[in-house]
Amino acid sequence: MLRHEFQPGRLVAGLFLGATGVVFAGDAGGLWDTPWFAVVPLVVGGLFLAGLTAALTRGIRRRGGAEGGQR
Protein backbone atom coordinates (compact mmCIF):
# COMPACT_ATOMS: atom_id res chain seq x y z
CA MET A 1 0.00 0.00 0.00
CA LEU A 2 1.30 3.44 -0.93
CA ARG A 3 1.79 5.89 1.91
CA HIS A 4 1.26 8.90 -0.33
CA GLU A 5 0.17 9.82 -3.80
CA PHE A 6 2.83 9.75 -6.53
CA GLN A 7 3.58 13.26 -7.80
CA PRO A 8 5.52 13.27 -11.08
CA GLY A 9 6.02 17.06 -11.01
CA ARG A 10 8.08 16.80 -7.84
CA LEU A 11 10.11 14.00 -9.39
CA VAL A 12 10.97 16.15 -12.42
CA ALA A 13 11.88 19.12 -10.22
CA GLY A 14 14.07 16.91 -8.04
CA LEU A 15 15.88 15.45 -11.04
CA PHE A 16 16.70 18.87 -12.48
CA LEU A 17 17.79 20.33 -9.15
CA GLY A 18 19.87 17.22 -8.54
CA ALA A 19 21.48 17.61 -11.97
CA THR A 20 22.30 21.23 -11.09
CA GLY A 21 23.98 20.02 -7.91
CA VAL A 22 26.01 17.45 -9.85
CA VAL A 23 27.15 20.08 -12.35
CA PHE A 24 28.38 22.40 -9.63
CA ALA A 25 29.89 19.55 -7.60
CA GLY A 26 31.91 18.58 -10.68
CA ASP A 27 33.04 22.17 -10.98
CA ALA A 28 34.02 22.33 -7.31
CA GLY A 29 35.90 19.03 -7.62
CA GLY A 30 37.90 20.32 -10.57
CA LEU A 31 36.50 17.85 -13.12
CA TRP A 32 35.26 20.63 -15.41
CA ASP A 33 34.70 24.38 -15.47
CA THR A 34 31.10 25.57 -15.12
CA PRO A 35 30.15 29.23 -15.54
CA TRP A 36 28.10 30.67 -12.66
CA PHE A 37 25.14 31.45 -14.94
CA ALA A 38 24.69 27.81 -16.01
CA VAL A 39 22.32 27.33 -13.07
CA VAL A 40 19.67 29.59 -14.64
CA PRO A 41 18.58 27.39 -17.58
CA LEU A 42 18.81 24.23 -15.49
CA VAL A 43 16.68 25.50 -12.61
CA VAL A 44 14.21 27.57 -14.64
CA GLY A 45 13.81 24.89 -17.30
CA GLY A 46 13.41 22.21 -14.65
CA LEU A 47 10.79 24.16 -12.73
CA PHE A 48 8.91 24.91 -15.95
CA LEU A 49 8.86 21.24 -16.93
CA ALA A 50 7.87 20.27 -13.38
CA GLY A 51 4.94 22.70 -13.46
CA LEU A 52 3.88 21.41 -16.86
CA THR A 53 4.09 17.82 -15.63
CA ALA A 54 2.09 18.65 -12.49
CA ALA A 55 -0.62 20.42 -14.51
CA LEU A 56 -0.85 17.52 -16.93
CA THR A 57 -1.05 15.03 -14.07
CA ARG A 58 -3.77 17.06 -12.36
CA GLY A 59 -5.77 17.23 -15.57
CA ILE A 60 -5.54 13.48 -16.08
CA ARG A 61 -6.53 12.75 -12.49
CA ARG A 62 -9.46 15.17 -12.53
CA ARG A 63 -10.94 13.44 -15.55
CA GLY A 64 -10.80 10.15 -13.69
CA GLY A 65 -8.20 8.65 -16.01
CA ALA A 66 -6.05 7.38 -13.18
CA GLU A 67 -7.12 4.99 -10.48
CA GLY A 68 -7.75 6.75 -7.18
CA GLY A 69 -8.03 10.18 -8.80
CA GLN A 70 -11.06 11.47 -6.91
CA ARG A 71 -11.91 10.52 -3.38
Side-chain angles (χ1 to χ4, degrees):
M1 183 170 114
L2 292 176
R3 293 180 183 244
H4 58 83
E5 185 176 45
F6 176 64
Q7 297 178 351
R10 287 188 179 189
L11 175 65
V12 171
L15 288 174
F16 272 88
L17 293 175
T20 303
V22 167
V23 166
F24 279 108
D27 183 32
L31 297 175
W32 55 76
D33 187 34
T34 305
W36 65 269
F37 52 84
V39 72
V40 175
L42 281 172
V43 171
V44 173
L47 291 177
F48 174 76
L49 289 176
L52 191 66
T53 303
L56 182 64
T57 302
R58 182 173 184 223
I60 290 171
R61 289 183 178 165
R62 285 191 142 226
R63 293 187 66 189
E67 189 174 305
Q70 290 183 343
R71 294 179 188 197

